[in-house]
Amino acid sequence: MSWNCARWIGSATRSPSCQRTSRPPPPIRSCAAWLSWRVGLDLGAARERVRVARALATLPSLAQALARGELSYAKVRALTRVATPETEGRLLAVGRAGTAEHVERIVRGWRRVDRKAEVQETARRHASRALHVYQDEDGMVVVRGRLAPEVGAVLVQALAAAREVVYPKNVPAGTCAPGVSQETPTMAQQQADALALIAETALHHGIDPGAPGERYQVVVHADAPVLADPEAPGQSVLEDGAHIFAETSQRLACDASRVVMRHAPDDRVVEVGARTRTIPPALRRALHHRDRGCRFPGCGVRFGQGHHLRHWADGGPTTLSNLALLCRRHHRAVHEEGYQVERQADGELRFRRPDGRLLPEVPPPAAVPADPVAVLRARHEAQGLSIDARTTIPGWLGEPLNVGWAIDVLHPLAARIRNELPALP
């Protein structure tokens, strides 16, 4: 999807620097980040280009008008904020008839109508929320209701968590929670038991949602030789026994809590060390202060994980000079996808692709032909495009623009809410 967006933007704006090359892109987190890295756009401008490109994928008439030079990018950028496949034809006429300023004013008025309709719909849904709890003839309690989407999402997650407590997965028969039938119940019955647990827990602990940022831990058991050398024999498993790759263990161990356990030859645990942080808090603060974000070329995500350039299990020191800040995506790229990073003598980092080629911090500029205008005209002729000085001239004859009247005529919802909407400028 990212590459499709990048290619669309390149053809839409006729910028040769956006064309796809034969080399695969680095693992950059988004199409906008790739545009910022490859073309030099500001990240905000790149996000806007990607938004327009994705919108045009469902708006063929606007896309064709832009490709033929009939509408400027400024007009298309504004129109794609409000256009839908149903209203695209009306808004295309607005773009052809008006100036960029006219289009912006009509789009602002259109969005006010959209917001008014959205507020009305939100208020209607909020008013329709309900929860009915009543006792049936046989004594069973019946629950029926409608919840707002965000409230329903919380309930679904809570039911899933409670269901896993009441009916744990992959456990022997007879080990379910006390008072629960050992026979496998239906999903509806599991939901009912989960709701009972939620209610009992709330009454037991008090009605307090607590902090939303509660964290969960993933425990990995890895033999020391595996951390030092992925090819070495040994285990690398999660708490439930599921196998994970040795490179994944190395990545997780780069920046995590560490507990050293020593085993006897018969696999009995003979010593358990204290839990320590791989990267102490003071060193972590210094790392964030120095790197200011992910150091992978073209990324810059503000928060990340500490990566040991030489892994601590392989004798690398946990010092500032042996650490680099990488986001989750690029930490995985370095450990499990073959990308390499090393610190130079001058302290700068050098990244390489899996094939060893250098991945520059800033890509080299695209080659510009000796006569770019001639190349552009040749491309237009090959595509059957005829673009001249009058192609983008609007049909406006100088008459004043009545935005309120235009919105009443164009917007399909304007008539329904006209009496409730304040006068438009």
Side-chain angles (χ1 to χ4, degrees), residues 259-274:
V259 176
V260 177
M261 303 174 64
R262 301 189 184 277
H263 296 257
D266 60 358
D267 207 32
R268 289 183 298 105
V269 177
V270 297
E271 183 181 349
V272 179

Side-chain angles (χ1 to χ4, degrees), residues 224 227-229 250 310-316:
L227 292 179
D229 180 8
Q250 285 189 330
R310 183 184 178 194
H311 203 279
W312 58 262
D314 196 30

Side-chain angles (χ1 to χ4, degrees), residues 103-323:
V103 171
E104 287 283 357
R105 290 177 61 189
I106 287 178
V107 166
R108 285 197 297 269
W110 191 289
R111 294 183 76 178
R112 289 186 63 186
V113 174
D114 282 343
R115 285 195 296 270
K116 187 71 175 179
E118 183 178 357
V119 168
Q120 289 181 344
E121 176 63 16
T122 301
R124 184 194 65 78
R125 291 196 309 184
H126 183 69
S128 69
R129 74 193 188 284
L131 185 65
H132 304 280
V133 182
Y134 57 92
Q135 197 166 28
D136 210 350
E137 294 179 354
D138 61 355
M140 297 290 285
V141 175
V142 179
V143 180
R144 180 174 59 86
R146 287 171 50 87
L147 302 177
E150 67 277 8
V151 178
V154 173
L155 177 61
V156 169
Q157 291 293 336
L159 286 171
R163 194 169 62 246
E164 290 187 5
V165 172
V166 179
Y167 297 99
K169 297 179 180 179
N170 303 322
V171 298
T175 58
C176 289
V180 177
S181 171
Q182 303 306 313
E183 297 181 1
T184 303
T186 65
M187 176 57 70
Q189 291 171 331
Q190 292 185 34
Q191 295 279 69
D193 294 335
L195 182 60
L197 177 61
I198 292 173
E200 292 171 359
T201 304
L203 292 175
H204 178 70
H205 293 286
I207 308 298
D208 181 7
E214 177 152 359
R215 303 183 62 177
Y216 296 86
Q217 290 185 335
V218 175
V219 178
V220 179
H221 296 274
D223 289 340
V226 173
L227 292 179
D229 180 8
E231 301 296 330
Q235 72 168 351
S236 176
V237 297
L238 296 177
E239 184 77 0
D240 60 1
H243 172 77
I244 62 174
F245 292 113
E247 290 84 354
T248 303
S249 295
Q250 285 189 330
R251 170 172 58 86
L252 295 174
C254 249
D255 187 1
S257 297
R258 177 176 56 190
V259 176
V260 177
M261 303 174 64
R262 301 189 184 277
H263 296 257
D266 60 358
D267 207 32
R268 289 183 298 105
V269 177
V270 297
E271 183 181 349
V272 179
R275 186 173 67 174
T276 60
R277 289 293 304 178
T278 303
I279 303 177
L283 184 56
R284 180 181 302 281
R285 287 193 293 269
L287 176 63
H288 279 269
H289 178 75
R290 185 196 66 186
D291 287 357
R292 303 288 184 181
C294 178
R295 295 296 304 275
F296 198 92
C299 184
V301 169
R302 184 175 178 185
F303 300 104
Q305 302 170 336
H307 168 68
H308 284 72
L309 302 179
R310 183 184 178 194
H311 203 279
W312 58 262
D314 196 30
T318 303
T319 59
L320 196 59
S321 60
N322 192 45
L323 293 172

Side-chain angles (χ1 to χ4, degrees), residues 5 8-10 12-15 18 31-32 35 39 41-56 73 77:
C5 289
W8 226 114
I9 295 164
T13 57
R14 299 176 177 81
S15 172
C18 274
C31 184
L35 277 177
V39 187
L41 290 176
D42 173 79
L43 190 57
R47 290 195 185 101
E48 186 68 2
R49 295 286 181 108
V50 173
R51 182 198 64 79
V52 173
R54 288 174 173 164
L56 289 176
Y73 173 74
R77 179 183 60 192

